[in-house]
Amino acid sequence: MELRPTSKEEVFLSLAYNRFYDLADEIIEDSFWEQEDWYRFSKVINLFSVYAELLAYEPFKYVLETIKKQRPPMESEIGGPLFKFIRNTFAHFPLFESWNEVWLTKGLVNWQKEGLTIDRFLKKYAGHTEIKYRFWEAEKKKMTYMSINFPKHYDDNKIYLSEILSEKEKLTVTPILNFALF
């Protein structure tokens, strides 16, 4: 029986955690909002990419399954698919320079092949009701509220990422990511 993490996994996890928390720490600072749109966008893309790679680590999958059983229904179920949707949007459509510019249509999503992650997410959640989150930000001593809005329809009308999750709220997602990573 192989013990986990292996030495190779320890190297990856150490680098990935450090990068994730460096990005998260920068993003949650109020001064981050003074940066240019493209700078903020590039940091967020990196954060989601690192997070997606961490999710691929098999032991995390067991933890996330446990979390799903302990959190309110939609709050726990949407996390993984939403972050994969956003990460894959960034990875497969590196065509935009800011969060507010990112848009998708059914035709664009399926330009090469139907049924992949982005398409499945939009098919499943189009028309779904809004999901609201709240969490305590200890450093700022305040309760933060955010919501995830889903497109009413998934067709060839533009769906802006900012309509699903505003730029400022997506950065607020960082504490949720931290929770998912313990």
Side-chain angles (χ1 to χ4, degrees):
M1 186 167 123
E2 187 178 1
L3 294 176
R4 298 218 84 169
T6 66
S7 60
K8 293 176 193 175
E9 291 170 340
E10 281 183 19
V11 170
F12 169 76
L13 292 170
S14 177
L15 289 169
Y17 266 102
N18 287 338
R19 180 65 178 153
F20 176 84
Y21 285 115
D22 286 347
L23 289 164
D25 288 346
E26 180 179 0
I27 286 171
I28 61 173
E29 291 295 321
D30 291 335
S31 62
F32 185 73
W33 291 102
E34 298 168 11
Q35 303 297 324
E36 295 290 327
D37 288 351
W38 64 268
Y39 178 85
R40 294 191 316 262
F41 190 58
S42 67
K43 293 295 182 172
V44 170
I45 288 171
N46 287 332
L47 179 95
F48 276 88
S49 294
V50 171
Y51 182 72
E53 291 304 317
L54 282 164
L55 283 181
Y57 181 55
E58 187 178 1
F60 286 166
K61 293 175 185 176
Y62 302 120
V63 172
L64 292 174
E65 285 303 315
T66 301
I67 290 171
K68 281 183 184 179
K69 295 173 186 167
Q70 297 172 352
R71 303 290 298 166
M74 275 310 291
E75 185 178 317
S76 61
E77 290 174 25
I78 193 64
L82 175 66
F83 298 116
K84 286 179 187 175
F85 160 74
I86 293 171
R87 183 261 179 208
N88 286 346
T89 296
F90 294 155
H92 298 295
F93 301 101
L95 314 169
F96 307 98
E97 292 186 7
S98 75
W99 184 270
N100 293 331
E101 290 179 8
V102 180
W103 59 267
L104 300 167
T105 64
K106 191 171 189 174
L108 179 61
V109 167
N110 296 311
W111 76 272
Q112 195 171 27
K113 183 179 178 182
E114 278 191 55
L116 299 177
T117 304
I118 299 169
D119 185 48
R120 287 191 317 264
F121 179 86
L122 290 170
K123 281 180 181 173
K124 181 174 182 175
Y125 292 106
H128 197 283
T129 58
E130 173 185 52
I131 298 174
K132 295 183 179 195
Y133 286 92
R134 69 180 183 158
F135 46 89
W136 178 252
E137 289 186 82
E139 304 85 33
K140 296 181 180 181
K141 295 185 176 15
K142 72 173 192 170
M143 187 66 76
T144 298
Y145 300 88
M146 63 170 282
S147 59
I148 300 167
N149 300 290
F150 300 97
K152 292 188 184 348
H153 306 283
Y154 175 45
D155 51 27
D156 279 324
N157 291 314
K158 288 182 181 178
I159 299 168
Y160 283 89
L161 196 52
S162 61
E163 293 172 358
I164 295 173
L165 196 62
S166 76
E167 180 181 19
K168 199 158 196 169
E169 285 184 323
K170 65 105 171 61
L171 296 179
T172 320
V173 168
T174 305
I176 295 169
L177 292 172
N178 283 327
F179 175 74
L181 293 173
F182 322 117

